[in-house]
Amino acid sequence: RYGGFRLGTRRLQGNALIAGVSGAVSTGLYLLALQKGYDPAALVALGSVQILWVMGYEYVKSKTPVRLSEIALPAFLLLAGILVGEWRGIPSLEVLLLISIGSAFLGGVSEVHDKVTAEISDATLATVWRFIYLGTSATALSVAFMVYTSKMSLYVDLLRAKWYIALLPIMGLMTL
């Protein structure tokens, strides 16, 4: 039950911060791989490794004992599905590091801490705080990337000229 907007505990804020920032960095790494021209289908397949990171965390930290044999078959099937499904050849080491290790690991961290945040408080408050941290850190990362690539003026011009085109779809997607 949603009890209204509030700060919540330090534990809630800490977990929401970790979930939001790691989610933003995970998305940023994925977008970086897309910008470098890698096959989107292969990136989606490699991104599925995120589930393995969550399974590993649950295996290590779960309050109820889980046998390795219970997660070995699903993990194997997931990896086989990645190889068979959308595979377009052997990816470079850069793609494996960006997506399987970087983006998928951070996405898994985000999912786990999102779950912990929802357990600490109600799911609505957890989602609100996670989104505040995700939006803030994603915006900061985006500006830092534009400064790093010397495209800040293009970024500002684009925001000034076309911000309204993205506003309604973003608002709609974020309220679903």
Side-chain angles (χ1 to χ4, degrees):
R1 180 178 166 196
Y2 181 60
F5 183 74
R6 61 190 184 287
L7 284 176
T9 64
R10 284 185 186 183
R11 188 168 169 233
L12 177 136
Q13 288 295 321
N15 280 289
L17 175 67
I18 293 169
V21 171
S22 60
V25 175
S26 171
T27 303
L29 290 173
Y30 194 85
L31 292 173
L32 181 62
L34 281 171
Q35 183 184 23
K36 290 180 172 281
Y38 295 112
D39 180 22
L43 296 180
V44 168
L46 286 171
S48 300
V49 174
Q50 175 178 331
I51 297 167
L52 292 179
W53 289 109
V54 174
M55 287 170 64
Y57 175 85
E58 291 292 335
Y59 176 74
V60 172
K61 294 286 189 177
S62 181
K63 294 174 188 165
T64 57
V66 179
R67 292 189 319 265
L68 190 57
S69 62
E70 292 175 339
I71 63 171
L73 181 61
F76 172 75
L77 291 173
L78 175 69
L79 290 173
I82 290 170
L83 291 172
V84 172
E86 294 293 335
W87 203 256
R88 308 258 195 265
I90 306 287
S92 69
L93 180 61
E94 181 182 35
V95 171
L96 286 173
L97 291 175
L98 275 175
I99 301 302
S100 298
I101 307 298
S103 180
F105 173 74
L106 289 170
V109 168
S110 178
E111 291 296 323
V112 166
H113 284 280
D114 196 27
K115 175 185 168 189
V116 171
T117 306
E119 290 171 353
I120 293 169
S121 180
D122 59 83
T124 304
L125 186 64
T127 301
V128 167
W129 279 111
R130 178 185 181 273
F131 183 71
I132 288 171
Y133 289 124
L134 185 136
T136 303
S137 55
T139 302
L141 285 171
S142 142
V143 169
F145 184 75
M146 289 300 124
V147 169
Y148 175 74
T149 58
S150 303
K151 296 181 180 174
M152 192 61 186
S153 61
L154 174 65
Y155 186 68
V156 170
D157 292 342
L158 183 63
L159 284 176
R160 254 192 259 149
K162 303 291 182 180
W163 65 269
Y164 57 89
I165 293 173
L167 184 63
L168 287 176
I170 289 171
M171 287 173 55
L173 288 172
M174 293 302 135
T175 57
L176 293 178

